[in-house]
Amino acid sequence: MTVRAINIEKLISILYFVVAFAEVCAEYFKYKPGIYCLKPLLPIILIGLYWMSSNFKQWILIAALFFSFLTNIFFVTNTPEMLFYGIITFTFHRILVIILVLKITKIKDFIPLIIASIPFLMIFFYLFIETSNIPENSFLLLIFQNLLISIYAGIALSCYVMNDNKINSILLISTLLFVMLHLVIFIERYFLSNEYISIFRPIAMTFNALAFYSLYKFVITAEKLNDN
């Protein structure tokens, strides 16, 4: 990359975190116009950042970020119907990310993956069983979401344990942030009353911004190392 391209990449990265910080503040102060504008903007900035930084252009990542953009739009409106649509689009996002990670990590032995996924499956399905107010139209989707996040976490953990390198370390960081995001959203949506939203929404958005940026860094780092 040229010096000019590196500088543009840094500027876009700074812009991403400035927008992320503003979105966290908007969530805390419940400033709806800011939330409507900033929340869908984050994945769009990441798409632009990846487009500038990558020489390979993994279309799976771009498609996954686009589904994240749709998810953010649906989740802005806090209604059961929009939540249902948001879960559908985020399911597509999660499937694409798992395909991308499997493509990059090139896992050949799936036994460690299965073993590493079991603890996450136990945690998420325990919370699911203890939840009584899940809408009927979201029931199967949430089961599938819990399965996907557990597999995703199992991939990252098994890769890190089997081969502790820079790529797998970034992947583990990103995945743990996604796991915390999943837990916070699940607890906030189904366990806590509205009085706690002012605390949990900013926390969720912080995990969201860091997790997606870490995912970008995982992909771009893998591409650079493979290129070398």
Side-chain angles (χ1 to χ4, degrees), residues 70-71 73-89 135-138 141 189-190:
L70 294 178
T71 302
I73 290 177
F74 289 131
F75 277 174
V76 165
T77 306
N78 191 22
T79 63
E81 184 181 7
M82 291 297 104
L83 176 61
F84 173 70
Y85 292 137
I87 293 173
I88 290 176
T89 54
E136 287 187 15
N137 61 353
S138 302
L141 278 174
R189 293 278 179 180
Y190 300 111

Side-chain angles (χ1 to χ4, degrees), residues 67-121:
F67 278 111
S68 174
F69 163 74
L70 294 178
T71 302
N72 286 347
I73 290 177
F74 289 131
F75 277 174
V76 165
T77 306
N78 191 22
T79 63
E81 184 181 7
M82 291 297 104
L83 176 61
F84 173 70
Y85 292 137
I87 293 173
I88 290 176
T89 54
F90 196 70
T91 299
F92 283 111
H93 157 81
R94 184 75 74 202
I95 292 170
L96 289 172
V97 169
I98 289 174
I99 293 171
L100 176 64
V101 170
L102 288 173
K103 179 182 176 183
I104 292 174
T105 55
K106 298 179 175 64
I107 293 178
K108 297 179 180 179
D109 186 2
F110 286 89
I111 300 299
L113 188 161
I114 295 170
I115 295 173
S117 300
I118 291 174
F120 298 100
L121 280 168

